[in-house]
């Protein structure tokens, strides 16, 4: 806007002080735009020499040569510029009225969990050498990214007890969808099954992926104890099924006691077994490999990534060491190889599965993945080591059982009497509605367990301790 | 001439650094057994315990054996390796996002949602679309959403028989792969002698079975598809939908909008166009925009603004469902938002202009080099990227595109995308982006020229490269053969 006009308006309204402030603001802006302290200015250096060299008097002439008149956009994008030094406050201002909960008062989980991230993890993945590099298409100059990803794959393989892990999928949900599609690619039976008690968001993603490919989906049922109803499952398997996806622990937090039998049956019928896991539970419970799973998927976020309102996450995808399974995997795999002098080196391997080589015959369309998340998780897992991981999961296990007992005393009831690790489900035997309870706790700064199957699924994270439980108990005592 | 040598640490695989004892302590097993039936209790875990300082040094050493945008020109065509501003990273780290759970009630985060909503509005303005979803986590994920919208649209309109998607032969590999995942057959059409969609071939490829077409504009040759309105007419005539692959949107941003070119659906690669870091392969973000008539098909939850409140709507009438567990790669989206407002609409046009000028300047210098040929129309300027062929060099000297690429590494320069698009023999696809300065481009050209001269004089010096990287030329096939492959450490140990 013309500064004089603006000034006159202010002056006319006799708001001289504001006019003066505006003038200050205006000059400051000019200064800022011309100044060199602004980072994005590096993009705007002089291009007149280059224009001359390529034979155009200005950029407009160049674009007019390329773009048909009928398409040319003659307006300016309506995006207001905020001076760089004001952006931080610009955003914080918008967040001013928002409520950010303390992790020790969050009992939400189900796919994304509050996690303490050692600063070392954040520091190393902020290093520009990792942060601003591309997919390691030029292997010789990108050994750093590749070795880190290889180590992610290798440590994750141990945690899962699976032989091959890819270098990441978008998230757990899409990895589960891709796993079921993969089972269909291999077995070619147009029906797949999922276990009962899969988080609603993941189920929705699975449904979408299967609908796209034209594969039918059916859901297994539970028996009274909350286990998988095997009789019912056998009937469904009998009709021909490519794969069965089961969450372990399931979305209520429980481990199906008959899981071993279920897996055996699925294999007898020739279908593939896909387990969906929370990796933080795995140090202490039988991993997918030992349970004979063919494919394992899961969410890597609790291994060193912030929750960030649900993204970026880290989709884990692993298979048993069977060449048919490996060749049908989606996503990038980093492998060990050698250079021409026989030295150890890393490279992207088995690329003939991928879209940039195979186009429509590829096993998936995935290209950009969550590589940096995978590196974060490799660092996290290396820092914790076996001892740290065992301490972490044992702590969650013990705390979860402690809290459950306290809540039972308050009148909550188990949804099922099944084993669990860090999440469990309780019904409230009180007139208060689940949604009202959640609301009242939120008003007192606590994010209580989400509702599934008419029960609260309560999730324990490593920030929780006696103190946080006591506080929860006190507040619940007041409400109930 | 610059002399370069990358760090070479000979760093062991992490498993070989620490103490590896896979047995789990009896005490731990005892605790677990209290709560978990014995048959589900774990007894072994083969993850090493490494001293912390050694772990840090390990990963720091790995960072030194890498290449990055901040180290030098990274002109990978179609990948858009532009500068990633640092202030964005610093501010992001100061925002309270670590503990923002995606299931936190939306009433408690109205301000946060308002940022996402504002960002969607900007994307609409930049692309000429009416509604956006932020859910797709990458460009290909966005394509997948687009393909599913096409599928659902035809289903809803009683045209489920439409099962063909048209893709040009110059398209990114993700296009046909995404269409296939959505259950479509792929009809590939050739490029004409100008490197553009062959309109006659397109006309003969369409039929009542045509569900839609996926198009990148400018295309992967860096050429603008100037007949795009005609293409749009042809596709819409048979009730098909036109999909815009946004991988190259950075070439035209502020100068032209997919929405004005007849596209119905578009995705935007925030990690390309809006300057977020690539992280060694991800995370990215691929929001999808549609015209009004397709709004009800977008994934749920859909972020909307009604009655003064930001809400996450689940009630879109024809929604394709969900493709991501939550709302997409929010961390990446916030970076792109900061990039966008720090530049502002005005200067956005300058960014795309500089990207295009840089590319044409580099091209002009490049074609003067012996053995380098420019396929397709020599008089038409390219946009943000260009493709040359080293076929002549190969015929003259036996030195291939791959050899030249590897020799570039010896000077600490990253090569362009090679052997893509598939329609150009011995292809090299350059995208200097707006972040390159004239001096950097000149230096790149000087070194490139020297490599070509060496190739003519003494081809073996180029063929036997690289020598200054942390490893020598890699044998990729070795790592992929069943007998010699080792995709994980445990595989390696089993093999040994």
């Amino acid at each position: 806007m013309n500064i004089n006009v603006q000034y006159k308006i202010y002056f006319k309204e006799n708001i001289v002080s504001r006019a003066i402030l505006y003038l200050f603001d205006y000059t400051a802006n000019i200064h800022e735009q011309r100044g060199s302290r602004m980072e994005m200015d590096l993009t705007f250096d002089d291009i007149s020499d280059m224009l001359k060299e390529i034979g155009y008097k200005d950029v407009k002439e160049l674009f007019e040569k390329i773009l048909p008149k009928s398409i040319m956009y003659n307006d300016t994008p309506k995006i207001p510029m905020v001076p760089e030094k004001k952006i931080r406050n610009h955003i914080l201002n918008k967040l001013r009225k928002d409520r950010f909960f303390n992790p020790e008062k969050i009992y939400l989980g189900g796919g994304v969990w509050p996690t303490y991230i050692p600063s070392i993890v954040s520091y190393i993945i902020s290093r520009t050498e990792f942060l601003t590099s591309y997919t390691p298409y030029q292997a010789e100059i990108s050994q750093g990214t590749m070795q880190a990803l290889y180590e992610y794959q290798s440590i994750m393989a141990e945690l899962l007890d699976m032989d091959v892990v890819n270098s990441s999928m978008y998230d757990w949900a899409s990895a589960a969808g891709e796993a079921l599609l993969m089972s269909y690619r291999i077995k070619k039976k147009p029906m797949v099954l999922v276990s009962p008690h899969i988080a609603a968001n993941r189920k929705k993603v699975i449904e979408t992926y299967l609908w796209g490919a034209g594969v039918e989906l059916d859901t297994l049922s539970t028996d009274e104890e909350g286990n998988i109803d095997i009789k019912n499952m056998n009937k469904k398997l009998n009709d021909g099924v490519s794969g069965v996806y089961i969450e372990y622990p399931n979305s209520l937090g429980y481990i199906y006691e008959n899981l071993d039998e279920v897996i055996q049956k699925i294999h007898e019928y020739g279908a593939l077994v896909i387990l969906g896991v929370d990796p933080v539970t795995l140090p202490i419970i039988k991993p997918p490999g030992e349970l004979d799973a063919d494919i394992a998927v899961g969410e890597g976020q609790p291994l060193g990534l912030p929750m960030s309102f649900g993204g970026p996450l880290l989709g884990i995808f692993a298979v048993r060491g069977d060449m048919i399974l490996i060749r049908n995997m989606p996503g990038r795999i980093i492998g060990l190889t050698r250079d021409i002098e026989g030295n150890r080196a890393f490279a992207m391997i088995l690329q003939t599965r991928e879209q940039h080589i195979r186009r429509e015959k590829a096993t998936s369309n995935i290209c950009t993945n969550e590589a940096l998340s995978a590196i974060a998780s490799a660092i996290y897992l290396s820092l914790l080591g076996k001892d740290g991981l065992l301490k972490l999961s044992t702590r969650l296990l013990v705390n979860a059982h402690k809290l459950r007992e306290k809540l039972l005393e308050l009148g909550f009831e188990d949804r099922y009497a099944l084993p669990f690790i860090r999440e469990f489900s309780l019904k409230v035997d009180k007139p208060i509605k689940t949604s009202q309870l959640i609301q009242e706790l939120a008003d007192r700064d606590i994010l209580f367990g989400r509702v599934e199957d008419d029960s609260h699924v309560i999730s324990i994270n490593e920030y929780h301790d006696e103190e946080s439980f006591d506080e929860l108990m006190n507040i619940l005592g007041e409400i109930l | 001439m610059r002399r370069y040598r990358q760090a070479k640490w000979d760093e062991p695989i992490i498993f070989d650094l620490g103490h590896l004892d896979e047995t789990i302590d009896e005490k731990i097993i005892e605790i677990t057994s209290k709560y978990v039936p014995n048959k589900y209790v774990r007894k072994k875990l083969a993850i090493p315990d490494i001293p912390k300082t050694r772990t840090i040094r390990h990963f720091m050493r790995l960072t030194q054996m890498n290449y990055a945008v901040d180290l030098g020109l990274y002109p990978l065509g179609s990948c858009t390796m532009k500068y990633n501003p640092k202030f964005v990273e610093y501010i992001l780290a100061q925002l309270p996002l670590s503990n923002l759970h995606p299931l936190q009630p939306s009433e408690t985060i109205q301000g946060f949602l308002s940022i996402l909503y504002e960002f969607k509005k900007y994307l609409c303005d930049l692309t000429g679309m009416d509604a956006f979803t932020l859910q797709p986590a990458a460009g290909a994920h966005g394509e997948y959403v687009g393909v599913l919208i096409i599928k659902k649209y035809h289903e809803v309109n009683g045209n489920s028989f439409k099962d063909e998607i048209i893709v040009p032969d110059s398209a990114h590999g993700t296009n046909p792969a995404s269409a296939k995942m959505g259950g479509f057959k792929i009809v590939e059409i050739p490029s004409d002698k100008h490197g553009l969609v062959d309109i006659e071939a397109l006309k003969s490829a369409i039929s009542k079975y045509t569900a839609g077409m996926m198009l990148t504009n400018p295309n992967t040759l860096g050429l603008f598809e100037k007949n795009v309105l005609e293409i749009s007419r042809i596709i819409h005539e048979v009730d098909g939908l036109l999909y815009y692959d946004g991988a190259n949107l950075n070439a035209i941003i502020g100068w032209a909008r997919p929405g004005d070119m007849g596209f119905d659906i578009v995705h935007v690669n925030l990690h390309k166009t809006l300057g977020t870091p690539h992280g060694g392969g991800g995370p990215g973000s691929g929001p999808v925009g549609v015209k009004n008539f397709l709004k009800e098909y977008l994934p749920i939850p859909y972020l909307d603004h009604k009655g003064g409140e930001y809400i996450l709507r689940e009630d879109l009438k024809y929604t394709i469902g969900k493709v991501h567990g939550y709302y997409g790669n929010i961390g990446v989206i916030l970076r792109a938002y900061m990039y966008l407002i720090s530049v502002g609409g005005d200067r956005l046009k300058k960014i795309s202009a500089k990207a295009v000028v840089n590319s044409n300047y580099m091209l002009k210098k490049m074609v003067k080099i012996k053995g380098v040929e420019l396929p397709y129309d020599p008089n038409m300027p390219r946009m943000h990227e260009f493709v040359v062929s080293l076929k002549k060099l190969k015929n003259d000297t036996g030195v291939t595109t791959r050899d030249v690429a590897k020799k570039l590494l010896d000077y600490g320069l990253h090569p362009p995308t090679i052997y893509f698009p598939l329609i150009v023999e011995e292809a090299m696809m350059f995208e200097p982006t707006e972040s390159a300065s004239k001096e950097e481009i000149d230096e790149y050209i000087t070194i490139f020229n020297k490599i070509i001269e060496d190739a003519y004089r003494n081809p073996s010096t180029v063929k036997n490269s690289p020598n200054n990287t942390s490893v020598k030329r890699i044998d990729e096939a070795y790592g992929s053969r069943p007998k010699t492959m080792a995709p994980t450490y445990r595989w390696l140990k089993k093999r040994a």
Side-chain angles (χ1 to χ4, degrees), chain A residues 39 45 73 78 88 98-99 128 138 144-145 151 159 163 171 337 386, chain B residues 21 23 42 58 66 70 83 86 94 104 112 125 255 325 354 475 488:
Chain A
E39 206 175 338
D45 34 61
Y73 180 66
K78 286 162 209 61
R88 181 175 166 274
D98 288 1
R99 294 177 59 201
T128 202
Q138 291 295 337
T145 288
E151 290 172 348
L159 191 56
D163 299 307
D171 69 345
T337 185
K386 184 186 81 173
Chain B
D21 168 17
T23 50
R42 187 165 190 164
H58 173 73
N66 236 24
D70 287 335
Y83 179 72
K86 304 289 169 278
Q94 291 169 35
Q104 180 168 335
F112 178 74
D125 189 56
W255 294 89
K354 191 174 172 212
D475 181 354
T488 47

Tab-separated table of all heavy atoms in Angstrom, chain A residues 39 45 73 78 88 98-99 128 138 144-145 151 159 163 171 337 386, chain B residues 21 23 42 58 66 70 83 86 94 104 112 125 255 325 354 475 488:
chain	number	residue	atom	x	y	z
A	39	GLU	N	17.345	-15.458	5.862
A	39	GLU	CA	17.896	-16.651	5.243
A	39	GLU	C	17.417	-16.880	3.815
A	39	GLU	O	18.201	-17.240	2.944
A	39	GLU	CB	17.539	-17.850	6.115
A	39	GLU	CG	18.513	-18.971	5.945
A	39	GLU	CD	18.224	-20.106	6.907
A	39	GLU	OE1	17.582	-19.885	7.945
A	39	GLU	OE2	18.644	-21.212	6.595
A	45	ASP	N	19.434	-13.780	-5.349
A	45	ASP	CA	20.516	-12.968	-5.908
A	45	ASP	C	20.306	-12.693	-7.395
A	45	ASP	O	19.424	-13.236	-8.050
A	45	ASP	CB	21.907	-13.544	-5.585
A	45	ASP	CG	21.942	-15.038	-5.546
A	45	ASP	OD1	21.652	-15.655	-6.596
A	45	ASP	OD2	22.206	-15.578	-4.468
A	73	TYR	N	-0.692	-17.272	-15.234
A	73	TYR	CA	-1.369	-16.729	-14.047
A	73	TYR	C	-0.842	-15.316	-13.839
A	73	TYR	O	0.342	-15.130	-13.557
A	73	TYR	CB	-1.044	-17.626	-12.851
A	73	TYR	CG	-1.665	-17.219	-11.542
A	73	TYR	CD1	-3.051	-17.250	-11.354
A	73	TYR	CD2	-0.865	-16.841	-10.467
A	73	TYR	CE1	-3.610	-16.908	-10.145
A	73	TYR	CE2	-1.420	-16.492	-9.247
A	73	TYR	CZ	-2.798	-16.527	-9.089
A	73	TYR	OH	-3.344	-16.194	-7.879
A	78	LYS	N	-1.791	-15.294	-3.066
A	78	LYS	CA	-2.225	-14.522	-1.896
A	78	LYS	C	-1.655	-15.115	-0.617
A	78	LYS	O	-2.372	-15.674	0.214
A	78	LYS	CB	-3.746	-14.464	-1.857
A	78	LYS	CG	-4.290	-13.530	-2.912
A	78	LYS	CD	-5.756	-13.793	-3.182
A	78	LYS	CE	-6.134	-13.445	-4.604
A	78	LYS	NZ	-5.409	-14.233	-5.646
A	88	ARG	N	8.513	-16.987	14.550
A	88	ARG	CA	8.389	-17.778	15.770
A	88	ARG	C	7.215	-17.265	16.611
A	88	ARG	O	6.342	-18.038	17.025
A	88	ARG	CB	9.690	-17.709	16.555
A	88	ARG	CG	9.671	-18.506	17.833
A	88	ARG	CD	11.036	-18.495	18.505
A	88	ARG	NE	10.942	-18.956	19.859
A	88	ARG	CZ	10.645	-18.169	20.896
A	88	ARG	NH1	10.405	-16.884	20.700
A	88	ARG	NH2	10.565	-18.661	22.105
A	98	ASP	N	-4.016	-22.724	22.934
A	98	ASP	CA	-4.051	-24.185	22.869
A	98	ASP	C	-3.547	-24.806	24.163
A	98	ASP	O	-2.848	-24.168	24.938
A	98	ASP	CB	-3.192	-24.685	21.702
A	98	ASP	CG	-3.856	-24.387	20.370
A	98	ASP	OD1	-4.950	-23.787	20.382
A	98	ASP	OD2	-3.290	-24.743	19.333
A	99	ARG	N	-3.947	-26.041	24.360
A	99	ARG	CA	-3.525	-26.713	25.582
A	99	ARG	C	-2.561	-27.845	25.252
A	99	ARG	O	-2.874	-28.740	24.475
A	99	ARG	CB	-4.754	-27.239	26.328
A	99	ARG	CG	-5.625	-26.066	26.815
A	99	ARG	CD	-6.862	-26.572	27.488
A	99	ARG	NE	-6.517	-27.404	28.613
A	99	ARG	CZ	-7.355	-28.294	29.141
A	99	ARG	NH1	-8.554	-28.447	28.627
A	99	ARG	NH2	-6.988	-29.007	30.180
A	128	THR	N	23.024	-31.706	9.296
A	128	THR	CA	22.648	-31.443	7.917
A	128	THR	C	23.057	-32.572	6.971
A	128	THR	O	22.421	-32.812	5.960
A	128	THR	CB	23.224	-30.079	7.502
A	128	THR	OG1	22.474	-29.601	6.405
A	128	THR	CG2	24.703	-30.164	7.138
A	138	GLN	N	23.246	-42.459	-5.277
A	138	GLN	CA	24.675	-42.575	-5.594
A	138	GLN	C	25.366	-43.175	-4.376
A	138	GLN	O	25.817	-42.476	-3.474
A	138	GLN	CB	25.260	-41.203	-5.944
A	138	GLN	CG	24.749	-40.648	-7.262
A	138	GLN	CD	25.191	-41.482	-8.462
A	138	GLN	OE1	26.180	-42.200	-8.403
A	138	GLN	NE2	24.440	-41.385	-9.548
A	144	GLY	N	26.991	-43.156	4.566
A	144	GLY	CA	26.532	-42.809	5.909
A	144	GLY	C	25.061	-43.108	6.104
A	144	GLY	O	24.667	-43.847	7.019
A	145	THR	N	24.236	-42.533	5.235
A	145	THR	CA	22.797	-42.798	5.297
A	145	THR	C	22.540	-44.298	5.194
A	145	THR	O	21.751	-44.861	5.956
A	145	THR	CB	22.064	-42.075	4.146
A	145	THR	OG1	22.056	-40.671	4.419
A	145	THR	CG2	20.635	-42.546	4.013
A	151	GLU	N	21.667	-50.466	9.717
A	151	GLU	CA	21.674	-50.775	11.148
A	151	GLU	C	20.268	-50.714	11.733
A	151	GLU	O	19.907	-51.510	12.603
A	151	GLU	CB	22.641	-49.835	11.875
A	151	GLU	CG	24.068	-50.198	11.488
A	151	GLU	CD	25.150	-49.254	11.979
A	151	GLU	OE1	24.818	-48.153	12.455
A	151	GLU	OE2	26.320	-49.613	11.874
A	159	LEU	N	14.897	-57.210	17.151
A	159	LEU	CA	13.770	-56.933	18.042
A	159	LEU	C	12.550	-57.756	17.629
A	159	LEU	O	11.806	-58.259	18.465
A	159	LEU	CB	13.461	-55.422	17.994
A	159	LEU	CG	12.499	-54.871	19.033
A	159	LEU	CD1	12.967	-55.182	20.440
A	159	LEU	CD2	12.358	-53.353	18.861
A	163	ASP	N	13.907	-61.825	9.578
A	163	ASP	CA	15.194	-61.830	8.880
A	163	ASP	C	15.450	-60.603	8.014
A	163	ASP	O	16.586	-60.194	7.838
A	163	ASP	CB	15.297	-63.095	8.021
A	163	ASP	CG	15.229	-64.334	8.889
A	163	ASP	OD1	16.024	-64.413	9.838
A	163	ASP	OD2	14.365	-65.195	8.645
A	171	ASP	N	3.771	-45.376	7.880
A	171	ASP	CA	3.344	-45.569	9.271
A	171	ASP	C	2.815	-46.989	9.435
A	171	ASP	O	2.800	-47.771	8.475
A	171	ASP	CB	2.298	-44.512	9.685
A	171	ASP	CG	0.954	-44.705	8.977
A	171	ASP	OD1	0.894	-45.461	7.976
A	171	ASP	OD2	-0.046	-44.109	9.421
A	337	THR	N	27.092	-55.102	0.513
A	337	THR	CA	27.675	-55.590	-0.729
A	337	THR	C	29.161	-55.258	-0.698
A	337	THR	O	29.745	-55.136	0.379
A	337	THR	CB	26.927	-55.017	-1.947
A	337	THR	OG1	27.439	-55.608	-3.131
A	337	THR	CG2	27.048	-53.509	-2.059
A	386	LYS	N	20.338	-53.542	24.678
A	386	LYS	CA	19.460	-54.577	25.222
A	386	LYS	C	19.010	-54.221	26.638
A	386	LYS	O	17.828	-54.274	26.959
A	386	LYS	CB	20.189	-55.920	25.232
A	386	LYS	CG	19.313	-57.071	25.706
A	386	LYS	CD	20.091	-58.364	25.853
A	386	LYS	CE	20.844	-58.395	27.159
A	386	LYS	NZ	21.483	-59.682	27.458
B	21	ASP	N	25.243	-60.132	24.206
B	21	ASP	CA	24.877	-61.335	24.943
B	21	ASP	C	23.374	-61.419	24.844
B	21	ASP	O	22.651	-60.594	25.386
B	21	ASP	CB	25.322	-61.200	26.409
B	21	ASP	CG	24.720	-62.272	27.302
B	21	ASP	OD1	24.236	-63.288	26.741
B	21	ASP	OD2	24.712	-62.090	28.524
B	23	THR	N	21.118	-63.526	25.918
B	23	THR	CA	20.222	-64.043	26.952
B	23	THR	C	19.628	-62.913	27.793
B	23	THR	O	20.298	-61.936	28.114
B	23	THR	CB	20.952	-65.017	27.905
B	23	THR	OG1	22.139	-64.360	28.330
B	23	THR	CG2	21.279	-66.317	27.237
B	42	ARG	N	9.574	-63.688	26.496
B	42	ARG	CA	10.782	-63.700	25.651
B	42	ARG	C	12.005	-64.085	26.464
B	42	ARG	O	12.175	-63.642	27.598
B	42	ARG	CB	10.979	-62.321	25.028
B	42	ARG	CG	12.097	-62.291	24.008
B	42	ARG	CD	12.044	-61.039	23.139
B	42	ARG	NE	12.991	-61.180	22.036
B	42	ARG	CZ	12.976	-60.430	20.947
B	42	ARG	NH1	12.080	-59.477	20.802
B	42	ARG	NH2	13.865	-60.617	19.988
B	58	HIS	N	30.066	-43.184	16.572
B	58	HIS	CA	29.702	-44.045	15.441
B	58	HIS	C	28.814	-43.298	14.452
B	58	HIS	O	29.116	-43.206	13.265
B	58	HIS	CB	28.968	-45.280	15.976
B	58	HIS	CG	28.398	-46.164	14.918
B	58	HIS	ND1	29.171	-46.971	14.121
B	58	HIS	CD2	27.109	-46.332	14.489
B	58	HIS	CE1	28.392	-47.623	13.259
B	58	HIS	NE2	27.149	-47.251	13.462
B	66	ASN	N	28.697	-38.887	3.959
B	66	ASN	CA	27.433	-38.595	3.278
B	66	ASN	C	27.569	-37.329	2.453
B	66	ASN	O	28.498	-36.553	2.652
B	66	ASN	CB	26.323	-38.385	4.330
B	66	ASN	CG	25.167	-39.319	4.107
B	66	ASN	OD1	25.317	-40.368	3.507
B	66	ASN	ND2	23.994	-38.928	4.565
B	70	ASP	N	23.677	-28.987	1.825
B	70	ASP	CA	24.523	-27.952	2.413
B	70	ASP	C	26.006	-28.150	2.100
B	70	ASP	O	26.834	-27.335	2.499
B	70	ASP	CB	24.322	-27.908	3.933
B	70	ASP	CG	22.971	-27.285	4.274
B	70	ASP	OD1	22.465	-26.500	3.450
B	70	ASP	OD2	22.430	-27.592	5.340
B	83	TYR	N	17.743	-25.566	-1.214
B	83	TYR	CA	18.195	-25.252	0.135
B	83	TYR	C	17.046	-25.391	1.138
B	83	TYR	O	15.915	-24.976	0.874
B	83	TYR	CB	18.733	-23.820	0.160
B	83	TYR	CG	19.194	-23.383	1.519
B	83	TYR	CD1	20.360	-23.889	2.067
B	83	TYR	CD2	18.453	-22.466	2.268
B	83	TYR	CE1	20.772	-23.508	3.324
B	83	TYR	CE2	18.866	-22.076	3.529
B	83	TYR	CZ	20.027	-22.606	4.054
B	83	TYR	OH	20.430	-22.235	5.301
B	86	LYS	N	17.361	-22.996	7.709
B	86	LYS	CA	17.668	-23.437	9.077
B	86	LYS	C	16.726	-22.831	10.107
B	86	LYS	O	16.442	-23.460	11.118
B	86	LYS	CB	19.101	-23.057	9.441
B	86	LYS	CG	20.140	-23.581	8.481
B	86	LYS	CD	20.301	-25.093	8.600
B	86	LYS	CE	21.133	-25.655	7.464
B	86	LYS	NZ	20.378	-25.874	6.223
B	94	GLN	N	11.381	-25.552	18.791
B	94	GLN	CA	10.893	-24.817	19.961
B	94	GLN	C	9.378	-24.937	20.154
B	94	GLN	O	8.836	-24.441	21.124
B	94	GLN	CB	11.256	-23.327	19.818
B	94	GLN	CG	12.747	-23.080	19.937
B	94	GLN	CD	13.115	-21.680	19.528
B	94	GLN	OE1	12.372	-20.740	19.763
B	94	GLN	NE2	14.248	-21.526	18.898
B	104	GLN	N	-5.769	-36.087	20.772
B	104	GLN	CA	-6.133	-34.993	21.685
B	104	GLN	C	-7.356	-34.265	21.099
B	104	GLN	O	-7.403	-33.996	19.905
B	104	GLN	CB	-4.940	-34.048	21.802
B	104	GLN	CG	-5.182	-32.875	22.705
B	104	GLN	CD	-3.897	-32.109	23.033
B	104	GLN	OE1	-2.803	-32.665	22.982
B	104	GLN	NE2	-4.033	-30.850	23.349
B	112	PHE	N	-3.662	-24.477	16.741
B	112	PHE	CA	-2.831	-25.381	15.951
B	112	PHE	C	-3.553	-25.763	14.647
B	112	PHE	O	-2.970	-25.712	13.562
B	112	PHE	CB	-2.532	-26.626	16.796
B	112	PHE	CG	-1.718	-27.659	16.092
B	112	PHE	CD1	-0.370	-27.463	15.890
B	112	PHE	CD2	-2.301	-28.818	15.620
B	112	PHE	CE1	0.392	-28.415	15.230
B	112	PHE	CE2	-1.550	-29.778	14.962
B	112	PHE	CZ	-0.199	-29.583	14.767
B	125	ASP	N	-4.711	-21.725	-3.197
B	125	ASP	CA	-4.394	-20.546	-3.983
B	125	ASP	C	-3.250	-20.817	-4.961
B	125	ASP	O	-3.281	-20.381	-6.107
B	125	ASP	CB	-4.042	-19.392	-3.036
B	125	ASP	CG	-3.904	-18.080	-3.787
B	125	ASP	OD1	-4.875	-17.708	-4.481
B	125	ASP	OD2	-2.836	-17.456	-3.714
B	255	TRP	N	3.375	-18.725	-11.475
B	255	TRP	CA	3.277	-18.342	-12.893
B	255	TRP	C	2.128	-19.036	-13.607
B	255	TRP	O	1.609	-18.543	-14.600
B	255	TRP	CB	4.585	-18.669	-13.626
B	255	TRP	CG	5.731	-17.861	-13.143
B	255	TRP	CD1	6.581	-18.169	-12.122
B	255	TRP	CD2	6.159	-16.581	-13.634
B	255	TRP	NE1	7.502	-17.173	-11.954
B	255	TRP	CE2	7.268	-16.193	-12.872
B	255	TRP	CE3	5.703	-15.743	-14.664
B	255	TRP	CZ2	7.941	-14.981	-13.081
B	255	TRP	CZ3	6.363	-14.546	-14.884
B	255	TRP	CH2	7.469	-14.168	-14.093
B	325	GLY	N	-2.568	-43.337	9.261
B	325	GLY	CA	-3.177	-43.544	10.566
B	325	GLY	C	-3.796	-42.286	11.151
B	325	GLY	O	-4.805	-42.337	11.837
B	354	LYS	N	13.915	-18.093	-10.851
B	354	LYS	CA	15.356	-18.353	-10.756
B	354	LYS	C	15.676	-19.823	-11.032
B	354	LYS	O	16.685	-20.140	-11.667
B	354	LYS	CB	15.899	-17.930	-9.388
B	354	LYS	CG	17.411	-17.944	-9.397
B	354	LYS	CD	18.025	-17.397	-8.132
B	354	LYS	CE	19.528	-17.647	-8.155
B	354	LYS	NZ	20.072	-17.851	-6.823
B	475	ASP	N	29.531	-52.756	-6.365
B	475	ASP	CA	28.951	-53.864	-7.107
B	475	ASP	C	27.548	-54.108	-6.535
B	475	ASP	O	27.399	-54.789	-5.524
B	475	ASP	CB	29.861	-55.096	-6.911
B	475	ASP	CG	29.372	-56.319	-7.671
B	475	ASP	OD1	28.272	-56.248	-8.267
B	475	ASP	OD2	30.085	-57.331	-7.658
B	488	THR	N	20.396	-57.964	6.336
B	488	THR	CA	20.502	-57.594	7.756
B	488	THR	C	21.756	-58.244	8.335
B	488	THR	O	22.323	-59.161	7.740
B	488	THR	CB	19.292	-58.104	8.580
B	488	THR	OG1	19.060	-59.471	8.230
B	488	THR	CG2	18.047	-57.299	8.331
